[in-house]
Amino acid sequence: MKNFKATFQELKSFLLLWSTQSLSTLGSSMTNFALVIWSYQDKGSALTTALLSVCSYAPYVLMSIFAGAFSDRWNKKVIMLASDTFAAGCTVAVLVLLQTGNLEIWHLYVLNALNGLMNTFQQPAADVTVSLLTPKKHYQKVSGMRTFSSSLTSILTPVIATGLLAFTNIQTVIAVDLTTFGLAFGTLMFGIKVPDMKPAEEGKEKVLQAAKSGLRYLKHNRGILDLILFLAAINLTASMYNAALPAMLLSVDGGGENAYGMVNMVSGLAMLAGSIAVTMLPKPQSRVGVICNALLMAMSTENFFLALGRSLPVWCVGAVLGWVSVPLMNANMDVLFRNYIPLTMQGRVYAARNTLQFFSIPLGYTLGGYLVDGVFEPFMKAQPVDSFFAEAFGRGKGSGAGMLFFALGVFGVGTCLVFRKDPHIWKLERKKRD
């Protein structure tokens, strides 16, 4: 009990920030979930829906490397407050357009791009803030808690959003989003003091030079760089998966809004179980080994269950197997980064990481949407009902997305097997500091 009280006092500011920001994230996720359903039902195109995420990630990837320099220079709290306020303004714009009956898909593209731009500044500032508010000995516990809240968001988002859409409308979902924003904003503004770290010598460093310093750090730390590139390759697969998932589950027999929501909820439950395990497990003997094995398990299961399964229970089993190990990967990756990267460099290095690790996401969403609409769905439509492909992946709309999932499973497993042989990654085990 005494240890619990001591830990609570040490993490008090983090817990306050974490809980309110997680609630705000839940509200934002509900709005995004509702808008994905709205856009797919309005247009019926996987690519059109996937472009919502492309517009969010493109400015994030392009500008992240410069945003990190600002994050290390400026007050972290001010950056987070300004970014969140701008995002809330974009949500208000969506609400107004809905209320007046003028909302078009291109409006969402523009607003998502603006949100992505502000998230470019918010994300590295938030990452460094966690380091500033957390004693080093609690890094793994905090990483598990952040994954826990992310998992809980995945569980609650489809449940609450689908329920609100069934009994009210999308405007109510957005109103809940704005309410949670207000709570998080007020707590950060008045209830949390974030230490500001800005070494004197960095005050003279120009933004471009500061951005280059993040890349230089990665160049001279190949283990960290190669882990980032590993995640970039995985993100390519995962974003194509995300582009194809609504196209399949909203279209196939036995699918629909409820099936889409259920698979998302089960994925969240699996991550929740994994994140609880992270907070309770001791430090592993090999963090790199956990990362590689967790990603291999994720890539070698769910895609094949979605590709070959024909019912909601099978898809849900695949979701459990695909997502339960992800929190283990996230937490161990996070601890490696926080222990190896100097605190005064974290904003710039995290920003460089964001550019390198996430550039594949808009590419993956675009490619995934195109492959569903332009390649796999037409291919499956042309197959005879008794063909091998029809027997393997089903018939009708959504079967092409199923075929894409099979290809993604093969690609994902191959990626994991290649990177687990990278000697630079395994050298991190001989230089551990945690």
Side-chain angles (χ1 to χ4, degrees), residues 278-403:
V278 168
T279 61
M280 300 175 65
L281 290 172
K283 182 181 69 175
Q285 291 185 346
S286 171
R287 293 197 185 278
V288 173
V290 171
I291 292 168
C292 292
N293 292 332
L295 288 174
L296 180 59
M297 179 176 175
M299 291 293 104
S300 63
T301 52
E302 185 180 15
N303 286 311
F304 296 112
F305 276 77
L306 287 169
L308 304 174
R310 295 289 184 275
S311 65
L312 181 58
V314 174
W315 301 330
C316 288
V317 170
V320 171
L321 296 175
W323 290 97
V324 71
S325 63
V326 170
L328 299 174
M329 180 278 295
N330 283 336
N332 283 279
M333 183 82 74
D334 189 58
V335 173
L336 276 178
F337 284 179
R338 292 188 190 282
N339 276 298
Y340 277 86
I341 304 170
L343 184 60
T344 54
M345 285 286 297
Q346 283 185 10
R348 283 162 289 173
V349 176
Y350 283 155
R353 175 203 66 181
N354 291 345
T355 295
L356 296 173
Q357 182 174 319
F358 299 133
F359 84 93
S360 57
I361 291 181
L363 177 62
Y365 271 104
T366 304
L367 185 58
Y370 168 74
L371 288 174
V372 171
D373 289 347
V375 179
F376 288 101
E377 288 292 341
F379 176 81
M380 290 301 299
K381 186 176 181 180
Q383 298 303 304
V385 295
D386 59 348
S387 69
F388 167 80
F389 294 106
E391 290 294 328
F393 305 114
R395 304 173 182 85
K397 192 170 178 61
S399 59
M403 187 178 183

Side-chain angles (χ1 to χ4, degrees), residues 218-268:
L218 292 177
K219 180 180 178 181
H220 295 296
N221 291 269
R222 280 293 306 276
I224 297 294
L225 175 60
D226 287 2
L227 276 178
I228 290 171
L229 296 178
F230 186 11
L231 265 292
I234 293 297
N235 284 338
L236 179 65
T237 304
S239 52
M240 286 193 280
Y241 159 92
N242 287 330
L245 188 65
M248 176 184 166
L249 293 182
L250 293 173
S251 303
V252 297
D253 292 337
E257 290 182 24
N258 290 335
Y260 180 54
M262 181 62 71
V263 171
N264 277 279
M265 185 184 73
V266 170
S267 300

Side-chain angles (χ1 to χ4, degrees), residues 1-12:
M1 188 67 178
K2 185 177 180 181
N3 289 337
F4 174 80
K5 289 182 179 179
T7 300
F8 178 81
Q9 287 300 320
E10 291 173 334
L11 295 177
K12 184 177 180 179

Side-chain angles (χ1 to χ4, degrees), residues 50-112:
L51 286 175
L52 290 171
S53 295
V54 172
C55 290
S56 294
Y57 274 103
Y60 183 76
V61 169
L62 292 173
M63 297 302 297
S64 276
I65 197 161
F66 303 106
F70 290 110
S71 175
D72 282 333
R73 289 162 168 260
W74 295 351
N75 184 283
K76 315 299 181 292
K77 183 173 177 177
V78 172
I79 294 174
M80 294 172 66
L81 289 171
S83 300
D84 289 345
T85 301
F86 188 89
C90 292
T91 304
V92 170
V94 172
L95 181 60
V96 171
L97 291 168
L98 276 170
Q99 287 292 92
T100 57
N102 293 317
L103 183 64
E104 300 287 345
I105 192 69
W106 70 266
H107 292 136
L108 297 180
Y109 291 159
V110 172
L111 292 171
N112 277 14

